[in-house]
Amino acid sequence: LMTKDGLIRIKRGQHARSYGVKIDFDCECSTCVHYDRAYLNHLFKSNEPLALQLASAHNLHFMNQLMAKLRNDVLEGKL
């Protein structure tokens, strides 16, 4: 999963007990609002199709926000 701090390997055991911890603290996507790292870890470990849907929704939101920020920086002459 993509975050502003780099990739998160959600299948790692350290996330199994990350109750109440959002994927990315600044993210307001539907996945981050409704689900925590522990639940996503469980879904991936159980090979649930929902895991891929939630991860995709988060990653698409992240990429859209990143591109919007880059677009604004280019228009403002920061890049």
Side-chain angles (χ1 to χ4, degrees):
L1 297 167
M2 296 181 236
T3 70
K4 63 181 172 79
D5 298 322
L7 292 177
I8 291 180
R9 308 280 186 218
I10 200 68
K11 286 185 180 182
R12 290 190 177 164
Q14 68 193 39
H15 301 296
R17 296 189 185 270
S18 297
Y19 303 109
V21 179
K22 293 169 68 171
I23 297 167
D24 192 355
F25 297 105
D26 295 331
C27 186
E28 295 299 325
C29 74
S30 61
T31 301
C32 288
V33 169
H34 297 290
Y35 304 101
D36 60 19
R37 289 183 185 188
Y39 184 62
L40 286 170
N41 174 275
H42 162 73
L43 291 176
F44 272 101
K45 293 280 186 162
S46 302
N47 292 320
E48 290 287 336
L50 179 60
L52 298 175
Q53 292 174 323
L54 294 176
S56 294
H58 168 77
N59 286 338
L60 286 170
H61 179 81
F62 175 81
M63 290 301 293
N64 282 334
Q65 294 298 329
L66 179 64
M67 290 301 118
K69 182 184 179 314
L70 289 172
R71 187 179 312 113
N72 285 336
D73 287 350
V74 167
L75 292 174
E76 292 173 3
K78 294 179 183 177
L79 292 177

